[in-house]
Amino acid sequence: MKILAFETSCDETSCAVIEDGRKILSNVISTQVPIHKKFGGVVPEIASRHHIEDVLPVAIEALEEARAGWEDIDAVAVTQGPGLVGALLVGVAAAKTAAWVLGKPLIAVNHMEGHIFANLLQYSDLEPPFLSLVVSGGHTMLVVVRDYNTFELLGQTRDDAAGEAFDKIARVIGYPYIDKLAKAGNPNAIEFPLALRKEHSFDFSFSGLKSAVINYIHAKEMKKVPVSYEDVAASFQKAVINALLEKTMAALDKTKLKTVALAGGVAANSGLREAMEKNCLKRNVRICSPAPGLCTDNGAMIGCRAYYMAQKGDFAPMTLNADPRLPFLAERGKV
Ligand code: ZN
């Protein structure tokens, strides 16, 4: 079964052809990152316009790379949400058109579920049940993947996502790669506070930490005391990683699962990967972390998730609409 998958939820226009769920025949990503860089963040209207320009050429390239024609496609998948509504609409319109013209079924995929399923593309032997830590620009959550279509949301952020905090601090410091900067600093130089640490829940909170870092920098600047941005980056990153690590390890204790799958854009952070690997090794728990190319937004992960939805007969109607706040599966039908 060949699925043509569209992903246009934010600033990457991506199309992939996936065979039988796990084989990537092509995964073309056209990034708009350099376009939005000068604005200091993604501008939704500009993102939508670029998706319109890029979506068809990217789909054609994906088919060419997969050595497939439109007639070889068995189903069309698309990210329905969450994401930027204008950006999502472009993918949804393109996918609906392709499905209608080809007379093939349409599959509407949740973007966050797609991120988790990137692990199945990276590790051919990975099967549920497993625990997944999803960390991206918009989301931070701990999910139990019971089987391919049954998820349980253990906890999520109560305010900012981890990625949001990273982006904000990067803007304040004026350097986009906190991960790189942190490597040159001392992670124990500054003690930043962490919320919800002692609470017996799996929820996260990063807005207090974000404010503490910004206040620290401003206070030093006001006093005209030099700031070591390397130390700030390293100490901030350590605090975020510790929060993610503690809750993930507590979730492993509770669920007794023996595999953790990292997912989302922040999963590419080398500090997080190293810390997770070290701690999982100690517990004899398998750690999965997709290659950076599969952590970023991409069509392949959408195609993979769609395959398992198709197995269950979970198809979308032609009246499908984008949903910028599409709930996670576990919240749609309580496990
Ligand atoms: Zn994403």
Side-chain angles (χ1 to χ4, degrees):
M1 181 184 192
K2 285 193 183 75
I3 295 179
L4 175 67
F6 290 83
E7 154 61 42
T8 65
S9 67
C10 191
D11 58 351
E12 327 273 3
T13 316
S14 181
C15 259
V17 180
I18 298 296
E19 192 171 50
D20 298 332
R22 298 209 186 200
K23 194 169 172 207
I24 304 174
L25 299 184
S26 65
N27 188 22
V28 179
I29 305 171
S30 167
T31 182
Q32 302 177 14
V33 170
I35 298 164
H36 297 279
K37 209 174 163 186
K38 57 178 177 282
F39 302 106
V42 178
V43 182
E45 180 58 27
I46 294 174
S48 312
R49 283 165 194 260
H50 281 282
H51 284 311
I52 292 170
E53 280 174 20
D54 294 347
V55 72
L56 197 56
V58 166
I60 290 167
E61 200 181 322
L63 287 168
E64 279 173 3
E65 240 180 61
R67 296 179 187 280
W70 292 100
E71 66 284 357
D72 299 317
I73 297 304
D74 301 298
V76 181
V78 64
T79 304
Q80 187 191 2
L84 301 168
V85 68
L88 289 165
L89 275 171
V90 178
V92 168
K96 283 204 300 195
T97 308
W100 185 71
V101 171
L102 300 171
K104 298 295 178 185
L106 180 68
I107 306 159
V109 175
N110 179 295
H111 181 79
M112 306 317 297
E113 294 168 19
H115 270 304
I116 295 173
F117 276 57
N119 280 282
L120 303 182
L121 293 168
Q122 180 85 38
Y123 302 94
S124 56
D125 62 331
L126 178 62
E127 280 178 22
F130 58 85
L131 178 71
S132 186
L133 172 69
V134 190
V135 263
S136 74
H139 297 82
T140 305
M141 46 194 195
L142 269 170
V143 177
V144 177
V145 179
R146 292 251 174 254
D147 62 47
Y148 291 108
N149 290 297
T150 317
F151 311 146
E152 184 184 342
L153 186 60
L154 286 185
Q156 59 187 326
T157 183
R158 293 191 187 169
D159 39 59
D160 293 351
E164 232 171 312
F166 266 97
D167 290 349
K168 178 75 189 174
I169 300 306
R171 276 206 290 278
V172 172
I173 290 179
Y175 184 79
Y177 309 108
I178 293 287
D179 197 14
K180 219 164 135 189
L181 197 63
K183 284 200 174 84
N186 172 10
N188 301 314
I190 313 148
E191 192 77 43
F192 290 124
L194 264 181
L196 305 181
R197 212 159 181 180
K198 301 252 175 323
E199 256 188 56
H200 297 292
S201 88
F202 296 106
D203 283 348
F204 302 93
S205 166
F206 294 106
S207 78
L209 169 66
K210 186 183 75 182
S211 305
V213 176
I214 294 168
N215 290 342
Y216 174 87
I217 295 171
H218 286 173
K220 292 275 179 196
E221 283 172 351
M222 295 265 280
K223 289 184 201 152
K224 302 215 179 336
V225 178
V227 184
S228 163
Y229 291 118
E230 289 85 356
D231 285 353
V232 172
S235 303
F236 159 73
Q237 179 162 302
K238 185 189 138 196
V240 175
I241 290 171
N242 277 351
L244 297 171
L245 200 60
E246 276 177 18
K247 302 276 175 175
T248 306
M249 295 305 133
L252 282 173
D253 288 342
K254 189 192 171 209
T255 59
K256 309 271 182 281
L257 290 166
K258 298 305 275 178
T259 306
V260 178
L262 298 181
V266 184
N269 179 287
S270 64
L272 176 64
R273 281 179 185 240
E274 277 164 30
M276 282 289 172
E277 274 162 22
K278 215 169 93 190
N279 281 273
C280 285
L281 198 70
K282 265 194 242 161
R283 287 165 182 256
N284 208 11
V285 164
R286 181 185 185 190
I287 174 87
C288 298
S289 47
L294 285 172
C295 284
T296 190
D297 293 348
N298 66 86
M301 68 186 199
I302 301 304
C304 176
R305 173 72 192 111
Y307 173 79
Y308 291 98
M309 291 173 74
Q311 300 297 300
K312 207 183 66 171
D314 190 355
F315 298 107
M318 276 298 161
T319 51
L320 178 75
N321 204 353
D323 184 347
R325 277 185 249 284
L326 183 70
F328 194 66
L329 178 68
E331 294 167 304
R332 292 202 294 275
K334 277 273 175 239
V335 183

